[in-house]
Structures are given as C-alpha cells and as structure tokens.
C-alpha cells in the first residue's frame, strides 16, 4: 500500500469533520491541485457539463443518477432555486435518447438531498422539504424518470425516511431512497422497505457518526452491508448495490442468484470518476450499472467525503498536489 493509503484510514475521521468546515472549504478551494480532483469526481459546474457526461455514459449503456450538489440549505429562497434547477434538469434529460424498453428500470434518475430542499429550515423545514420534493417527484414521474432521496447524517434519518414514505404514497414507482449500512438501525430499515417493495440504494455510509449509532471498523461495516443486502435481495423491492468494493460486488451477484433474481431485478451503482473500467466490465457482463453524476459549484462537502471513503482517492489528490508543488 502507498504512503497515502497508509495515512488514509486514520485521516478518515479528520476528513469527515473537514467536510463541514467552512474555513477548510475556503482553503481547499484555493489550492491549484483541487481543480484536478474536482474534474475527476464532479461532472462540472453547470447543467450543460452534466448533460455532456450523461450523454457519454448513456452511449456506453450505463444508467445515470444526476445530483445537483448542495446541502444544509437554511434559506427558503435558495431551497426553491434548487427545485428550479432540478425541474430544468429533468426537462432537458427527458429530451435525451435512452433505452426505455425495460419498464422494470428507468435509465435516467435524479438524486436529491432533503437538506438542500429546506429540511433544516427552522420551524417548518420538514413541510418545506416535502413540498419541494413533491414538485421534483411529480416532474420526474411525468418524464418517466426515477427520484432517489439521498441519505445524510444520522440526525436526519427519521425525518428523511418519513418524507420518503409520504412521497412514495403518491409516487410509489418513482421514489426510492438510500440506506447506509454503517448505521446500526439499517437492517431493520431494510426489512421494512423490502416488505413494502421499495427501491433502495444500499451504500456503506459517508458521514462521521458516533459509535452509539454506527459501526466504526471496516469489517463491521462490510458485515452489516452483507446482512442488509441479503435482506433486500430476498425482499419485494429493487436493490441498488452502491459499492466499489470487489468483495461486495461479487457477493451481490451471488446473493441475487440465491434469491432467484435475474440481472434486470437489481442494479449496481458507482460514483462518477471511480473505477470506470469496473463499470464497463459489469456492463459487458450484462449487469445493470448506474453512475452517480454530481454537478454544480457546491462540491466541497461531496469531494471531501469521497476522499475519506477510499485511500485511492486520497492518493490521487496527494499526487496532484505534489505535481503542483
């Protein structure tokens, strides 16, 4: 393992704390090396840049989930601007050519964070975020797309899942959500949503959480991921296996076979810029592969969490920084 890889694990808690630091955000965004890393993991600052990335991925027979970056909105006007961005994005995505002959899956999807839609607003944040999310869900459904509600830190989980259930009441075939395997509660959440027939993106988790609510050791998180994945594969919903871990990818294929699922009854998901050769390999094997495509200028928190997730990402950043020096 490289020196950067050795350093990455003890640095993970620091990086996750840094993801919410405005001071460090200002410093990192001024570093010349940062642009290289942003260009690798973020499609670009504008909707047009995101669309260019989406077109390339669709031509390569990959599904996409597009995220307009932003979180922790405390201004209702800003929250409404985020909604407008999504409505404009859905309108242009609807005009793209894509394979739509498989009703069990929708190749085009948008991902959204409820904190970007006003969830953290004092007093009525839940109602504001729900109302804004309903506008996005209705537009996506009319355009034949999916919406997946992203997970954030554990303090928002109850409110987020309550909102998801309200959205699914009106848009059961359109709205899905994310569950994070490192949270101790997630097995129970998987059972509930699998019984409901929900579409669930299962990831390991990307926020700094206390030991009281989240597994801390990588082995514990992987074990939880496998337990949760087994529940989802055996359930009535549509599992979305969001991982870059080779062991989890292999296990997912085996669990799907054991549960009697065909390749069109679940999908793999990976992040834009991460393991593109593996993405292509899975597509060549006939697996469904969806790429999470973020865009926008509010990339700081997203980027730092990507650096914390994988030593290879941190190594890439350090090599870029050294080259600039």
């Amino acid at each position: 393992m490289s020196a950067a890889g050795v350093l990455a694990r003890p640095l993970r808690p620091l990086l996750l704390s840094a993801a919410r630091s405005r001071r460090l955000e200002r410093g990192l965004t001024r570093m010349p090396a940062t642009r290289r890393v942003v260009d690798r993991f973020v499609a670009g600052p504008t909707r047009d840049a995101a669309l260019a990335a989406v077109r390339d991925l669709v031509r390569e027979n990959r599904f996409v989930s597009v995220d307009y970056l932003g979180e922790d909105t405390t201004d209702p006007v800003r929250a409404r601007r985020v909604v407008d961005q999504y409505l404009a994005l859905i309108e242009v995505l609807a005009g793209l050519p894509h394979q739509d002959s498989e009703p069990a899956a929708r190749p085009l999807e948008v991902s959204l964070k409820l904190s970007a839609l006003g969830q953290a607003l004092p007093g009525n944040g839940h109602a504001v975020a729900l109302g804004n999310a309903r506008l996005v869900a209705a537009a996506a459904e009319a355009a034949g797309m999916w919406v997946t509600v992203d997970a954030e830190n554990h303090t928002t989980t109850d409110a987020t899942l309550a909102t998801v259930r309200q959205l699914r009441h009106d848009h059961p075939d359109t709205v899905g959500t994310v569950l994070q395997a490192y949270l101790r509660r997630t097995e129970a959440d998987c059972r509930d949503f699998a019984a409901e027939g929900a579409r669930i993106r299962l990831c390991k988790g990307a926020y700094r959480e206390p030991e009281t609510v989240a597994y801390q050791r990588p082995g514990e998180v992987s074990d939880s991921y496998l337990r949760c994945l087994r529940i989802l594969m055996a359930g009535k919903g549509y599992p979305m296996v969001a991982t870059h871990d080779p062991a989890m990818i292999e296990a997912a294929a085996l669990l799907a076979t054991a549960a009697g699922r065909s390749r069109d009854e679940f999908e793999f998901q990976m992040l834009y810029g991460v393991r593109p050769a593996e993405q292509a390999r899975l597509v060549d094997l006939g697996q469904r592969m969806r790429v999470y495509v973020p865009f926008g200028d509010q990339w700081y928190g997203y980027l730092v969490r990507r650096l914390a997730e994988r030593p290879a990402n941190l190594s890439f950043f350090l090599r870029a920084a050294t080259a600039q020096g």
Side-chain angles (χ1 to χ4, degrees):
M1 183 182 289
S2 68
V6 171
L7 289 171
R9 285 185 180 176
L11 281 175
R12 186 174 188 272
L14 296 176
L15 286 167
L16 291 176
S17 294
R20 304 185 77 86
S21 168
R22 298 301 182 192
R23 179 181 176 185
L24 289 173
E25 178 178 359
R26 289 191 295 270
L28 183 61
T29 53
R30 294 191 182 102
M31 290 179 63
T34 301
R35 190 70 253 166
R36 293 187 188 185
V37 187
V38 174
D39 289 344
R40 172 171 174 167
F41 297 115
V42 177
T46 66
R47 189 164 57 248
D48 286 345
L51 290 172
V54 167
R55 289 189 185 97
D56 289 342
L57 292 166
V58 169
R59 279 196 294 267
E60 295 165 354
N61 296 317
R62 302 182 212 188
F63 295 173
V64 295
S65 185
V66 188
D67 173 28
Y68 177 59
L69 291 170
E71 53 195 83
D72 298 331
T73 297
T74 56
D75 176 4
V77 175
R78 166 68 185 172
R80 179 61 211 206
R81 286 200 207 102
V82 172
V83 174
D84 291 341
Q85 280 281 353
Y86 273 106
L87 296 181
L89 174 65
I90 289 167
E91 183 177 0
V92 293
L93 285 174
L96 294 181
H98 59 275
Q99 296 178 346
D100 57 1
S101 60
E102 301 179 76
R106 302 182 191 178
L108 302 180
E109 174 192 83
V110 294
S111 287
L112 52 86
K113 287 181 171 60
L114 294 180
S115 75
L117 300 185
Q119 187 182 58
L121 291 171
N124 64 341
H126 174 84
V128 170
L130 174 60
N132 285 335
R134 278 179 167 150
L135 293 173
V136 177
E141 185 168 275
M145 298 179 202
W146 275 343
V147 174
T148 293
V149 177
D150 277 330
E152 302 184 64
N153 71 69
H154 82 278
T155 64
T156 67
T157 302
D158 283 333
T160 294
L161 296 186
T163 298
V164 166
R165 285 191 163 93
Q166 289 174 284
L167 292 170
R168 278 180 40 76
H169 182 269
D170 296 325
H171 308 282
D173 297 326
T174 297
V175 175
T177 194
V178 178
L179 296 176
Q180 302 179 101
Y182 70 169
L183 294 181
R184 298 178 186 273
R185 62 174 288 167
T186 297
E187 281 184 71
D189 290 330
C190 283
R191 288 190 189 94
D192 291 342
F193 278 102
E196 296 171 16
R199 187 169 50 83
I200 296 296
R201 177 192 299 158
L202 182 67
C203 67
K204 287 187 175 180
Y207 292 83
R208 186 179 185 185
E209 305 286 16
E211 189 170 2
T212 53
V213 301
Y215 299 110
Q216 302 295 309
R217 290 188 286 275
E220 290 179 319
V221 177
S222 292
D223 288 346
S224 176
Y225 193 96
L226 290 173
R227 293 193 301 269
C228 292
L229 190 56
R230 187 174 288 108
I231 292 167
L232 295 176
M233 288 293 185
K236 297 190 296 185
Y238 182 82
M240 302 181 292
V241 187
T243 183
H244 308 100
D245 184 336
M248 299 300 107
I249 293 169
E250 182 178 359
L254 293 173
L255 287 171
T257 299
R261 286 184 179 267
S262 64
R263 290 177 179 174
D264 63 356
E265 293 178 304
F266 73 103
E267 67 182 49
F268 290 99
Q269 297 190 353
M270 293 188 185
L271 298 172
Y272 180 79
V274 180
R275 301 198 72 195
E278 177 65 2
Q279 295 176 18
R281 184 187 76 85
L282 289 169
V283 170
D284 289 342
L285 289 174
Q287 301 284 2
R288 286 177 169 171
M289 164 55 61
R290 191 178 305 271
V291 181
Y292 187 93
V293 181
F295 79 99
D297 56 11
Q298 301 297 308
W299 49 259
Y300 172 77
Y302 174 85
L303 174 64
V304 176
R305 287 193 292 273
R306 299 296 78 77
L307 296 178
E309 281 176 350
R310 298 183 68 238
N313 297 348
L314 183 57
S315 299
F316 177 82
F317 179 77
L318 292 177
R319 286 197 303 270
T322 301
Q324 286 291 324

